[in-house]
Amino acid sequence: MKVPEEIVELIRREQYFTIASHINPEGDALGASLALALALRLLHKDVRVFNSDGVPYMYNFLPSSDLVETGMDRERLKNSVLIVLDCNDLERVGLKDVECKKIVVIDHHQTVTDFGHIRWIEPESPAAGLMIYNLIRELEVEINREMAVNLYTAIAVDTGTFRYENTTPEVLRAAAELVDAGVNPGEVSQRLYESWSVNKFRLFVSMLKTVEIVHTGNINSAIATITLDMFKETGADASDTENFINFPRMIESVDISAMFREVESGCWKASLRSKGNCDVSLIASHFGGGGHKNAAGYKVCGDIGDVKKGLIEAIHDSVAAR
Ligand SMILES: [Mn+2]
């Protein structure tokens, strides 16, 4: 992975930075943002971290997570470099327009837009956190324990803690360095996988009851639904659903796991995960969404029966196209 010289130079030259990541942030967005912020601070830069949704409860353990602000200081932004992380447009950041000195996009999602003055997109990188790890090294900042926990968590979340196909030798080498820098992998795993609230567990149980297995040609899909009512009944919230989609993938015969989460009455965020060669980014792009081969998503409004039918048809077409 080659860090663009332009970005290194820009960081050395400029003084004011705002780091922003996507709405509904998970470990990669937050960990990458916080690690970069900590590194920039060591370089005596003035840096703010923005996320419109803030830090979900389960990520409170990330060192310096209290740096994340949910409000944007627009006056200050005018003289700042805006670094957009783990996404590549303003809509994903939850902003309509910005006035700033320069926009740098650092992301590992395939993209078609040309938003930003400097774009560093690595679709092959398993996590934005791995790109930031390389950037921090390029900046010649020594990675301390605080940065390391953030980076390790970012990489762990996007590789299913080193279980997915994106777990490359480079990922494992970076992880080893981060453990050397003070990360306790057992502790991070416990925070990520064994720290659920009772409400979250209840929502999980209700989600499992909705799972349907659908056969389309030689593709088996598990489709789950989470409605606004289910959130109300269990007291859980949207951030609690992170990772739920990976559970139906445990079924050996399942190729695609899909989850429809109701975001407002009758409108759904569809998440898709697949195993092996089954490319769900093609299916998502059919609905105006996007993502990677094995993880993608889109938004859709309508009756849940109809939106499920639409998905099944799209899976059917993508099978036929192969
Ligand atoms: Mn990511």
Side-chain angles (χ1 to χ4, degrees):
M1 187 183 302
K2 178 94 189 66
V3 180
E5 197 49 47
E6 262 186 298
I7 297 181
V8 176
E9 277 163 18
L10 183 85
I11 290 175
R12 293 204 184 285
R13 195 169 64 231
E14 296 292 335
Q15 182 58 28
Y16 295 93
F17 295 87
T18 297
I19 299 168
S21 56
H22 57 80
I23 51 174
N24 299 321
E26 23 64 311
D28 190 27
L30 294 168
S33 297
L34 291 168
L36 180 58
L38 293 168
L40 294 185
R41 282 192 158 189
L42 285 183
L43 293 170
H44 309 288
K45 308 292 180 179
D46 185 310
V47 52
R48 302 272 178 94
V49 183
F50 169 82
N51 189 285
S52 68
D53 288 335
V55 179
Y57 165 81
M58 70 168 287
Y59 288 115
N60 280 343
F61 77 96
L62 291 175
S64 295
S65 62
D66 56 348
L67 287 181
V68 177
E69 298 173 297
T70 54
M72 177 70 88
D73 181 344
R74 296 231 170 218
E75 243 350 272
R76 181 186 168 281
L77 188 64
K78 282 182 191 165
N79 292 311
S80 306
V81 174
L82 177 65
I83 301 179
V84 173
L85 266 187
D86 200 32
C87 60
N88 53 60
D89 60 36
L90 271 192
E91 200 194 325
R92 282 286 287 148
V93 175
L95 294 173
K96 284 219 166 62
D97 57 279
V98 286
E99 206 183 314
C100 62
K101 207 164 169 186
K102 213 148 219 154
I103 297 170
V104 180
V105 175
I106 302 178
D107 188 21
H108 66 127
H109 298 95
Q110 194 64 266
T111 159
V112 286
T113 68
D114 61 354
F115 171 75
H117 301 105
I118 304 177
R119 293 172 61 77
W120 178 24
I121 310 282
E122 297 273 357
E124 295 293 310
S125 177
L130 187 65
M131 299 170 74
I132 298 302
Y133 166 81
N134 284 294
L135 174 59
I136 293 175
R137 286 169 56 119
E138 209 58 40
L139 288 166
E140 291 170 352
V141 175
E142 199 183 324
I143 296 180
N144 59 25
R145 198 197 69 89
E146 281 206 307
M147 284 180 231
V149 171
N150 278 298
L151 292 171
Y152 181 93
T153 303
I155 294 168
V157 164
D158 272 13
T159 60
T161 304
F162 317 112
R163 289 177 301 132
Y164 301 154
E165 286 178 33
N166 59 9
T167 306
T168 57
E170 192 188 4
V171 165
L172 292 168
R173 275 192 285 267
E177 294 275 335
L178 297 169
V179 173
D180 267 338
V183 175
N184 179 336
E187 216 171 277
V188 173
S189 290
Q190 197 174 353
R191 297 305 307 222
L192 292 178
Y193 305 112
E194 295 168 358
S195 300
W196 288 19
S197 67
V198 173
N199 291 351
K200 175 171 174 161
F201 193 79
R202 290 210 171 103
L203 182 68
F204 178 63
V205 172
S206 357
M207 185 275 295
L208 289 181
K209 289 182 193 152
T210 70
V211 174
E212 290 170 62
I213 313 246
V214 180
H215 312 278
T216 318
N218 56 350
I219 298 284
N220 293 325
S221 309
I223 306 180
T225 316
I226 299 181
T227 62
L228 290 176
D229 280 342
M230 289 161 67
F231 284 115
K232 228 194 267 164
E233 281 158 18
T234 57
D237 65 40
S239 71
D240 287 321
T241 64
E242 184 191 336
N243 208 33
F244 279 10
I245 189 167
N246 295 312
F247 287 88
R249 276 212 312 200
M250 287 179 173
I251 304 166
E252 189 182 16
S253 59
V254 162
D255 305 290
I256 297 177
S257 174
M259 186 171 87
F260 288 99
R261 171 166 66 79
E262 197 170 16
V263 283
E264 54 190 294
S265 188
C267 287
W268 309 85
K269 162 122 181 35
S271 303
L272 305 173
R273 298 290 183 275
S274 64
K275 290 180 193 159
N277 268 333
C278 189
D279 188 344
V280 284
S281 72
L282 297 175
I283 296 167
S285 65
H286 176 81
F287 296 99
H292 312 280
K293 186 176 86 177
N294 296 123
Y298 61 94
K299 276 188 217 137
V300 63
C301 291
D303 170 75
I304 185 64
D306 294 338
V307 300
K308 274 189 203 170
K309 224 158 117 200
L311 171 64
I312 293 163
E313 276 164 20
I315 293 172
H316 186 267
D317 292 349
S318 85
V319 176
R322 285 195 302 166

